[in-house]
């Protein structure tokens, strides 16, 4: 596609429910990132996928958070048993990476604003 | 773990003034990026810096990279109101980590 696409753009959920957030990266981009941004704050790294390598999950805040990337393309971030502190904007980014390629500039989607009530 | 520190976190400027935002990082990397974020919007790429001594300029903004000092600067010349936004630096050291952002407000 032309850019990184995220859905839904807004999600309101009740505390304790599970949610799934979707990211469709730019076609051909092998690297995919998930970040969380709370109101007025910076970007908190969550998880990083690079090609077929095992993902870097070091930023996931708890075991309620998980992410998958199917077929090296679309990614889904799942939050189980949502809590109010999970309310934030979840941003996805992708970048082109090939062996020896220097520029790893990341391109961002518009984000999913999650509100847990 | 790669740490990225920006300062200042908040910056209020008068139009026409100059200022510099600093970005320090903790491990060796020669891939540094600057982004702009407007309120309620996503991040927009501003500069890509890929080598020691790299300098990029776009309008009133100029970014530079010193990989030996692990420091990048974003210099603002003769600020105008349209530059009001939050600016983030990001460093790629196996994965992409961001600074906390500098919220810039330019006042008339």
């Amino acid at each position: 596609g032309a850019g990184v696409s995220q859905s839904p753009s807004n999600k309101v959920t009740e505390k304790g429910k599970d949610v799934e957030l979707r990211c469709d990266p730019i076609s051909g981009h092998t690297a995919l990132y998930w970040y969380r941004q709370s109101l007025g704050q910076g970007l908190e790294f969550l998880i990083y996928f690079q090609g077929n390598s095992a993902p870097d999950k070091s930023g996931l805040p708890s075991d309620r958070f998980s992410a998958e990337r199917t077929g090296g393309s679309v990614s889904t971030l799942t939050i189980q048993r949502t809590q109010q502190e999970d309310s934030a904007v979840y941003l996805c980014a992708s970048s082109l990476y090939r062996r020896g390629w220097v520029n790893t500039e990341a391109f961002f989607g518009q984000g999913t604003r999650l509100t847990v009530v | 773990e790669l740490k990225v520190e920006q300062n200042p976190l908040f910056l209020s400027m008068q139009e026409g003034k100059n200022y510099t935002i600093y970005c320090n990082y903790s491990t060796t990397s020669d891939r540094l990026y600057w982004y702009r974020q407007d309120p309620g919007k996503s991040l927009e790429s501003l500069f890509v810096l890929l080598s020691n001594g790299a300098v990029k300029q776009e309008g009133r903004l100029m970014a530079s990279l010193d990989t030996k000092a692990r420091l990048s600067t974003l210099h603002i010349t003769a600020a105008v109101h349209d530059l009001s936004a939050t600016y983030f630096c990001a460093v790629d050291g196996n994965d992409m980590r961001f600074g906390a952002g500098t919220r810039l407000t330019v006042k008339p």
Side-chain angles (χ1 to χ4, degrees):
Chain A
V4 178
S5 178
Q6 290 187 247
S7 61
S9 54
N10 282 283
K11 176 73 177 177
V12 179
T13 190
E14 292 182 351
K15 178 181 173 181
K17 299 284 188 184
D18 298 352
V19 294
E20 285 190 353
L21 312 180
R22 176 187 169 108
C23 174
D24 201 340
I26 293 172
S27 178
H29 280 195
T30 57
L32 187 147
Y33 305 84
W34 283 99
Y35 296 89
R36 177 167 72 176
Q37 187 175 33
S38 301
L39 187 63
Q41 302 299 308
L43 273 71
E44 177 188 3
F45 168 79
L46 296 178
I47 189 168
Y48 167 52
F49 295 90
Q50 174 55 272
N52 295 321
S53 302
D56 176 358
K57 302 180 181 180
S58 61
L60 294 178
S62 77
D63 59 8
R64 296 187 295 105
F65 288 72
S66 63
E68 290 185 340
R69 189 176 185 191
T70 53
S73 181
V74 172
S75 178
T76 302
L77 177 68
T78 301
I79 309 172
Q80 295 178 311
R81 305 181 303 281
T82 52
Q83 304 294 312
Q84 287 185 330
E85 61 262 30
D86 298 335
S87 296
V89 175
Y90 289 81
L91 291 165
C92 175
S94 71
S95 72
L96 179 65
Y97 177 87
R98 293 205 177 94
R99 193 177 187 81
W101 191 262
V102 179
N103 187 350
T104 57
E105 180 185 8
F107 296 87
F108 281 82
Q110 290 303 304
T112 293
R113 183 176 299 277
L114 176 65
T115 304
V116 182
V117 297
Chain B
E1 179 184 312
L2 172 60
K3 302 288 186 187
V4 183
E5 293 185 356
Q6 272 183 252
N7 68 84
L9 298 183
F10 297 93
L11 177 56
S12 181
M13 298 176 63
Q14 294 293 128
E15 280 192 329
K17 297 294 187 182
N18 305 333
Y19 208 83
T20 300
I21 299 170
Y22 297 88
C23 175
N24 291 90
Y25 54 98
S26 62
T27 62
T28 302
S29 176
D30 54 4
R31 302 174 187 174
L32 190 137
Y33 308 90
W34 284 95
Y35 291 85
R36 169 179 172 145
Q37 186 179 37
D38 291 294
K41 304 291 186 182
S42 190
L43 278 76
E44 171 190 355
S45 179
L46 287 176
F47 296 110
V48 175
L49 302 169
L50 300 175
S51 61
N52 186 38
V55 178
K56 296 281 184 73
Q57 183 161 5
E58 179 73 32
R60 301 172 187 276
L61 300 177
M62 183 173 71
S64 66
L65 177 61
D66 181 342
T67 59
K68 294 179 181 176
R70 298 177 186 172
L71 170 69
S72 179
T73 61
L74 180 65
H75 187 73
I76 304 156
T77 302
V80 293
H81 178 69
D82 285 352
L83 290 180
S84 296
T86 300
Y87 293 85
F88 291 94
C89 64
V91 179
D92 188 352
N94 294 324
D95 55 43
M96 194 81 72
R97 300 294 174 119
F98 282 75
T102 298
R103 187 175 299 180
L104 172 66
T105 304
V106 181
K107 299 180 177 180

